């Protein structure tokens, strides 16, 4: 059964953006929305997460849990999903300066 899917992909290669626009609408830059099957969603997520490089991606789709959705992330980012007794919460990592560079600490 096809379900609503939302995918945000920042700094991904052009060929990945092209694959996403074959199945989803790019409603704003880097934000894709559509109604697709679980198989198509999983294949698109696999393509995005394998080619993420220095980019960041977030996938949200309906799931049979208390919140009604599942959240997946790929790439280095400050926000990390954390499972807390079946609920997905988002934890922020702190940024520290180390010899002139910013380093993320959980």
């Amino acid at each position: 059964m096809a379900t609503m899917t939302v995918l945000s992909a920042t700094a991904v290669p052009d060929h990945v953006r092209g694959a996403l626009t074959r199945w989803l609408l790019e409603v704003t830059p880097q934000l894709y929305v559509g109604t697709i099957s679980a198989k198509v969603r999983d294949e698109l997520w696999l393509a995005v997460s394998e080619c993420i490089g220095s980019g960041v991606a977030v996938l949200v789709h309906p799931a049979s849990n208390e919140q009604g959705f599942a959240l997946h992330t790929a790439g280095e980012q400050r926000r990390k999903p954390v499972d807390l007794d079946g609920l997905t919460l988002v934890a922020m990592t702190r940024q520290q300066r180390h010899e002139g560079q910013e380093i993320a600490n959980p």
Side-chain angles (χ1 to χ4, degrees), residues 56-70:
V56 174
V58 177
L59 171 69
V60 180
H61 63 85
S64 58
N65 59 23
E66 189 68 31
Q67 291 172 302
F69 65 88

Side-chain angles (χ1 to χ4, degrees), residues 1 10 12 16 22 31 44 50 66 69 75 82 93 99:
M1 178 169 90
T10 305
V12 294
V16 174
R22 287 186 195 105
L31 182 65
L44 285 174
E50 284 181 346
E66 189 68 31
F69 65 88
V82 178
T93 58
E99 296 180 22

Side-chain angles (χ1 to χ4, degrees), residues 3-8 38 41-42 45 57-74 81-83 86-90:
T3 59
M4 174 67 96
T5 301
V6 178
L7 196 150
S8 172
R41 178 190 69 226
D42 293 343
W45 183 246
V58 177
L59 171 69
V60 180
H61 63 85
S64 58
N65 59 23
E66 189 68 31
Q67 291 172 302
F69 65 88
L71 178 68
H72 306 277
T73 62
V82 178
D83 183 277
L87 292 178
T88 301
L89 302 177
V90 177

Side-chain angles (χ1 to χ4, degrees), residues 9-91:
T10 305
V12 294
D14 287 341
H15 73 278
V16 174
R17 294 182 67 212
L20 290 171
T21 58
R22 287 186 195 105
W23 296 96
L24 305 168
L25 292 174
E26 189 173 8
V27 294
T28 63
Q30 306 167 350
L31 182 65
Y32 302 86
V33 178
T35 304
I36 55 178
S37 70
K39 179 162 180 58
V40 171
R41 178 190 69 226
D42 293 343
E43 290 296 323
L44 285 174
W45 183 246
L46 182 63
V48 169
S49 59
E50 284 181 346
C51 297
I52 199 66
S54 63
V56 174
V58 177
L59 171 69
V60 180
H61 63 85
S64 58
N65 59 23
E66 189 68 31
Q67 291 172 302
F69 65 88
L71 178 68
H72 306 277
T73 62
E76 286 296 319
Q77 55 189 346
R78 285 191 65 197
R79 292 174 174 87
K80 302 282 184 192
V82 178
D83 183 277
L84 186 66
D85 292 333
L87 292 178
T88 301
L89 302 177
V90 177

